[in-house]
Amino acid sequence: MIHELLLALSGYPGTIFTWNKRNGLQVSQDLPFLHPSETSVLNRLCKMGTDYVRFTEFTEQHTGHVHQQEHYSSQPSQSGLHGIYLRAFCTGLNSMLQPYRHALLDLEKEFLGDPHLSISHVNYMLEQFQLLFPSVMVVVETIKSQKIHGCQILETVYKHSCGGLPPVRMALEKILAVCHGVMYKQLAAWMLHGLLLDQSEEFFVKQGPSAGGATAAQEEEEEDLGIGGLSGKQLRELQDLRLIEEENMLAPSLQQFSLRVEMLPSYIPVRVAEKILFVGESVQMFENHNQSPSRAGSILKHQEDMFAAELHRLKQQPLFSLVDFENLVDGIRSTVAEHLWTLMVEESDLLGQLKIIKDFYLLGRGELYQVFIDLAQHMLKTPPSAVTEHDVNVAFQQAAHKVLLDDDNLLPLLHLTIDYQGKESKEASGNREGTTPPQETSPREAPPTGWAALGLAYKVQWPLHILFTPAVLEKYNVVFRYLLSVRRVQSELQHCWALQMQRKHLKSNQMDAVKWRLRNHMAFLVDNLQYYLQVDVLESQFSQLLQQINSTRDFESIRLAHDHFLSNLLAQSFILLKPVSVRNKPPFIYQLCPIAVLLLYRVLVVSHSCSSRFFPVCVTTR
């Protein structure tokens, strides 16, 4: 019977110890010579044997082995579980069972040497596994029932390894170390070579945009924070400059990657995962852009072998050390960030590119846009058509020649765009075979004038496109349209003053005096607004940005400083303020200057949120 017991504990039941699909191994009830206490001990051992059988069944099913015993097979071959992390878990589970198998062999040798040993001796020798197997079975059942996948297996094993039983903790830590081996291989491919080896979507880095976190309640999103009329939703958009979808807008050489947060184990902080994402994106960009290797060089400065050896050393450690792991990630990130800083600032002339952005998007070349406003006023005061974009660009080129801006290398990179009604349908009809159909969007209202549909496109050269992404350029376009509207209002008010000077010799009535005073107040207000925007906002923030770029050699610091620069522009220019609806406007105001009136009513509300040094004049309306 002892040999029958050892065979049953090895996964081969017989006539004394039978297998039941529901209850597993059990002692046969047709044995009258067994005492009830012996039956109890044997059933306890059978419970351990049942766990072993189910462990082997699980590992054989998910590692591709075909040596499955038909008499206890109760699971279908297709359970929906797959992936390299699951195979690694099965490998670690199989290695955890090796001491149990050796213990059965030792027991067999002992019984062959001394046939008088009792069942109690078997129970004593296998006591540690009677404590270990049920705890590990909980992990296996959790994976099977919840269909845990990929790096989520790391999280499951880690949580169950934090218990107070040393045998259970040590066994699960060994399994976790085997699973970490897969993660380190994926990290090495991603961080050192820019390869995302993840066919089953198991890694915490994925290709494509991150899923929108639209879980907040609508009331929370629209909550007014009391910061100049800024709502909670607007503040979150201000702080996250990458909320605009870039999946279809990115340059072909730069694929977008993001974090799959649900796959990230809890013992790896998000800040470390973001560094891993940044390193892999940068390396992947360089690997896919090898047309100028002499200029780009190696982004890791030919230290791939050293970093690979460090990753292998961490892989061999029995316990995961977050300190060592983060130190290595920081080392790789620092190398990549410094190389990108050199490439951006020194080789690609980032400061010169920022100067171009400031001159054209932020109206640094004020004389250019003053001439352009005069040339394009007649074609942009009406709703745009299909030829408006061409005419506007011709006017822009003429304005550049008039102000002696004849840079043959710069002007071809700039292009004014007009988003007129029907443009999307034409672009959609141009999509033929091999292109994805555009997503359905709600119909937008046609812009009332060409000025409302005007935008500026700039062809950013590699590798500056990783800083000036389409989302960032769209933010610049928002500021560009706003600053251009202020400039146009100022020009219109000056034109109104010229008309008043032409008519000053004529007899005026009380209504004319009211118009002159209103124009005077509006001009004073807009002039102060223009000075505030150009001096207190643009020049001040731009000088701070240049200072931060020159004081670091880290690309991530540059990107963060640039994000703060753009955020401050949007916030301090009052672009994100809620719109104001003003009723009962006097009819004569419309005859004066519609654009100036609309801006006036907007600025009247803005002035209540600003310091008096920005708008010293006090304007009141009834």
Side-chain angles (χ1 to χ4, degrees), residues 187 190-191 204-205 259 264 267-279 320 322-330 333:
L187 285 174
W190 172 246
M191 298 180 68
F204 52 81
V205 175
L259 291 179
L264 183 65
Y267 52 88
I268 298 180
V270 177
R271 69 174 186 277
V272 180
E274 290 177 346
K275 296 174 185 177
I276 294 172
L277 175 65
F278 163 71
V279 171
F320 179 83
L322 178 60
V323 175
D324 295 340
F325 181 75
E326 188 170 3
N327 287 338
L328 177 58
V329 172
D330 284 338
R333 191 208 68 85

Side-chain angles (χ1 to χ4, degrees), residues 365 368 371 375 395-406 411:
R365 297 297 298 264
L368 169 66
V371 176
L375 292 176
F396 187 75
Q397 297 289 337
Q398 293 175 354
H401 294 315
K402 285 189 176 182
V403 298
L404 304 179
L405 180 61
D406 297 329
L411 290 179

Side-chain angles (χ1 to χ4, degrees), residues 424-441:
E424 293 81 1
S425 60
K426 287 187 177 181
E427 293 178 351
S429 62
N431 291 333
R432 301 303 181 189
E433 297 180 0
T435 59
T436 57
Q439 297 179 353
E440 296 183 359
T441 56

Side-chain angles (χ1 to χ4, degrees), residues 197-248:
L197 304 179
D198 188 24
Q199 297 180 354
S200 301
E201 298 182 354
E202 301 177 89
F203 198 39
F204 52 81
V205 175
K206 68 173 182 178
Q207 184 175 339
S210 59
T215 58
Q218 184 71 17
E219 296 179 357
E220 180 182 357
E221 290 183 353
E222 297 299 331
E223 178 185 3
D224 195 334
L225 300 181
I227 308 176
L230 207 62
S231 67
K233 180 180 179 181
Q234 290 173 327
L235 183 60
R236 283 190 293 274
E237 291 179 356
L238 186 64
Q239 293 173 344
D240 187 2
L241 295 177
R242 296 177 179 83
L243 287 179
I244 297 179
E245 292 261 344
E246 302 178 11
E247 183 177 6
N248 299 322

Side-chain angles (χ1 to χ4, degrees), residues 379-380 382-395 416 418 420-421 426:
M379 65 184 70
L380 291 178
T382 59
S385 62
V387 298
T388 305
E389 184 170 322
H390 174 267
D391 297 340
V392 165
N393 280 280
V394 172
L416 292 174
I418 297 293
Y420 61 89
Q421 190 178 27
K426 287 187 177 181

